[in-house]
Amino acid sequence: MHLILFGPPGAGKGTQGALLARHFDIPRISTGDLLREAVRAGTGLGREARRYMDAGELVPDTVILGLVREALGSESAQRGFILDGFPRNVAQAEALDGILRFLHRRLDAVAVLDVPDELVIKRIAGRRSCPNCGAVYNIHFEPPRTPGRCDVCGGELAQRGDYQEETVQHRLEVYRAQTEPVLAYYEQAGVAIQYVDGSGKVDEIQAQLVHALQT
Ligand code: AP5
């Protein structure tokens, strides 16, 4: 299975991608995770990427393409992969075609998680985490017992820079302007596109995705 998992920020690509990776026993390659790892490691690439990520902008293609080329060429991706967060614009989609041609692979499908903007904002901007123990909450869906305090260790909960509501709004604008046109690109190329409602419960969405990808 060579799959692109597509959808706006907060659609649940990371959540569903991890479950699909387990189901199909193939790796999930998330450019967001690769970038966050580089930021945590404090590499030059990570320092460059961080200012774009915090502002809700796309990181330059040259930075992303090196990461993707390496991940797709790795041993673990030989039987297939789930791309999450890539391609993010038409130039990245064209570059992916070149990488796949070089590796003698082709895409099987693009799965699109459809989620309305209001829900995206609640899911992302409502998210809080504990810097001490890593516990994660959502003030709308899974609030801590005491507002602002971690249930597990009592630490003060924090909000990630790119989870602020204005930044989420901007990420949605960037998605509409730069990322959504990628779907027309794959439609024209004749790649199968499966649309799944991403607003339900995690296990229901997973079942719909698996069904859509197996038919
Ligand atoms: P990236 O990490 O790719 O972020 P994103 O796609 O914008 O969105 P998220 O990861 O926040 O959402 P998601 O769809 O994975 O949903 P999740 O499962 O986490 O990118 C971050 C940044 O890196 C970008 O802004 C950009 O700067 C840069 N970048 C990355 N790739 C790039 C590229 N190719 N080119 C250029 N720049 C790039 O779920 C979200 C929340 O909702 C979670 O809290 C989750 O628990 C909750 N949730 C999920 N599903 C459900 C459900 N069914 N019900 C209730 N809650 C749910």
Side-chain angles (χ1 to χ4, degrees):
M1 168 78 62
H2 300 85
L3 175 71
I4 292 175
L5 196 49
F6 202 88
K13 301 182 296 298
T15 306
Q16 296 298 333
L19 295 171
L20 281 180
R22 204 176 317 148
H23 182 91
F24 290 111
D25 193 23
I26 50 177
R28 162 181 162 259
I29 297 169
S30 155
T31 43
D33 284 357
L34 291 172
L35 290 168
R36 279 184 288 275
E37 257 171 48
V39 170
R40 262 194 303 275
T43 62
L45 186 152
R47 281 195 298 276
E48 187 189 351
R50 185 175 187 160
R51 54 197 177 99
Y52 294 96
M53 295 170 80
D54 281 351
E57 295 289 347
L58 295 185
V59 171
D61 293 348
T62 44
V63 172
I64 296 292
L65 290 174
L67 290 173
V68 171
R69 215 172 274 124
E70 193 180 320
L72 291 183
S74 73
E75 188 58 39
S76 63
Q78 296 312 301
R79 288 191 309 110
F81 51 76
I82 297 165
L83 280 171
D84 164 359
F86 179 91
R88 239 9 190 252
N89 58 31
V90 171
Q92 291 184 8
E94 287 167 348
L96 176 62
D97 283 348
I99 297 172
L100 293 179
R101 253 196 315 275
F102 178 77
L103 295 171
H104 304 291
R105 314 281 192 86
R106 42 185 311 190
L107 285 174
D108 294 304
V110 177
V112 186
L113 287 171
D114 260 336
V115 176
D117 288 3
E118 313 82 71
L119 186 55
V120 161
I121 290 166
K122 277 190 165 174
R123 279 187 186 171
I124 307 186
R127 199 172 168 170
R128 301 287 183 278
S129 59
C130 175
N132 286 343
C133 73
V136 176
Y137 303 86
N138 183 294
I139 56 170
H140 307 289
F141 308 121
E142 291 168 72
R145 284 191 296 271
T146 308
R149 289 274 160 205
C150 178
D151 291 350
V152 181
C153 71
E156 195 176 339
L157 299 180
Q159 189 181 32
R160 227 173 67 182
D162 61 343
Y163 285 8
Q164 310 278 343
E165 182 159 342
E166 313 82 78
T167 315
V168 179
Q169 293 276 15
H170 185 60
R171 281 163 68 189
L172 279 167
E173 285 162 20
V174 170
Y175 174 78
R176 302 282 172 233
Q178 300 192 45
T179 308
E180 246 176 11
V182 170
L183 284 179
Y185 175 86
Y186 284 123
E187 234 165 67
Q188 249 176 2
V191 177
I193 303 182
Q194 305 284 357
Y195 289 86
V196 168
D197 179 0
S199 57
K201 292 202 175 113
V202 170
D203 53 346
E204 291 165 0
I205 300 165
Q206 179 65 193
Q208 285 176 53
L209 270 172
V210 169
H211 178 74
L213 294 170
Q214 281 173 341
T215 50

